[in-house]
Amino acid sequence: MKALVVVQCFPPLLKNAGGVSKRYFTLCRALIDGLGWQVTLMTPVDVTLSKEDDIKRWLDEGSLVHLAARGVRINSASDGVAVFLDLFSYVNAGKLLREMVVRGGYDCVFCDDVPWRLELLLLTRSLGIPTVVSSHTDITHMKAYKGVVKLVWKIHMLSTRLATVHGTVSRVFGVQMAKTYSVPVNAIWPPILWSQEFKSEPEVWADK
């Protein structure tokens, strides 16, 4: 089995968005070590700099392939600095097409809160590849939430309707999102670090 994981956060990025980085690190561990999958990781984070032994072992074995992505840095006077995976980049779009159309063989695509993930989800639907997307941040409380950002957010939430599975990090947040944005929420994904789902063994999820 083969999975494409498209994320903005992954070790060694721990200072900012450390919880998300660790969750997707754990996802890769469950897929590779727990289920024996081959994983291609598309992220702007240079994972080769990670000091995690598992990541180094996976890269050496070839069970984890790092697909380096271009990112874009956004500076906000009110909300700070953030780096996003740029799905509108011609370079990134070309890499996705090459991986999913030319090389192919993917059984599932995992994607986190990447802006404009609608583009990726349209591609996966056209290819018939199941997708699992997660929404772990509600930006409506941020000061930058105005103008074009509102439009981007609405499209971001609308994109969840194209995913096979849309998850949030907790049941409370899931209920809130479903009620506020009228979007389907059918999983706790990726689970928060202290939840029972996060602590459970990979075997529990093998047939789900």
Side-chain angles (χ1 to χ4, degrees):
M1 303 289 280
K2 188 177 177 182
L4 175 64
V5 178
V6 182
V7 294
Q8 301 176 129
C9 307
F10 202 81
L13 180 63
L14 294 177
K15 184 176 181 181
N16 297 314
V20 179
S21 294
K22 291 176 182 177
R23 285 195 290 266
Y24 280 102
F25 175 32
T26 302
L27 167 65
C28 288
R29 179 183 286 126
L31 290 173
I32 297 171
D33 291 340
L35 302 176
W37 283 39
Q38 165 78 37
V39 174
T40 299
L41 177 68
M42 185 176 190
T43 179
V45 178
D46 188 355
V47 301
T48 62
L49 298 178
S50 173
K51 296 180 181 180
E52 296 286 348
D53 292 336
D54 284 340
I55 295 177
K56 185 179 185 305
R57 172 171 56 85
W58 297 334
L59 291 171
D60 291 341
E61 294 173 348
S63 54
L64 177 68
V65 176
H66 178 214
L67 189 63
R70 287 193 174 184
V72 58
R73 186 173 68 179
I74 297 178
N75 296 291
S76 170
S78 56
D79 298 313
V81 179
V83 176
F84 296 101
L85 195 161
D86 185 9
L87 285 179
F88 272 172
S89 161
Y90 288 120
V91 173
N92 290 343
K95 289 184 177 183
L96 283 171
L97 286 172
R98 183 168 59 253
E99 279 297 318
M100 300 174 67
V101 178
V102 179
R103 294 178 179 170
Y106 286 98
D107 298 286
C108 189
V109 173
F110 296 83
C111 180
D112 75 342
D113 247 341
V114 179
W116 299 111
R117 62 187 173 192
L118 175 66
E119 174 188 345
L120 174 60
L121 289 169
L122 288 171
L123 177 60
T124 55
R125 281 180 68 91
S126 69
L127 296 173
I129 303 174
T131 51
V132 178
V133 302
S134 65
S135 300
H136 47 74
T137 304
D138 188 340
I139 70 167
T140 57
H141 67 283
M142 297 181 179
K143 293 182 179 180
Y145 182 70
K146 55 186 177 181
V148 70
V149 177
K150 284 187 175 183
L151 175 62
V152 173
W153 176 252
K154 289 180 179 179
I155 295 175
H156 187 65
M157 286 291 96
L158 182 63
S159 71
T160 62
R161 295 180 177 274
L162 299 179
T164 309
V165 175
H166 173 227
T168 61
V169 294
S170 71
R171 291 182 177 84
V172 173
F173 190 44
V175 170
Q176 174 190 329
M177 295 196 77
K179 182 178 180 180
T180 304
Y181 306 113
S182 299
V183 297
V185 178
N186 33 37
I188 306 302
W189 183 262
I192 52 180
L193 297 176
W194 54 86
S195 69
Q196 290 304 314
E197 289 91 344
F198 189 91
K199 297 176 181 178
S200 62
E201 295 298 324
E203 291 78 9
V204 176
W205 304 92
D207 298 325
K208 293 188 177 183

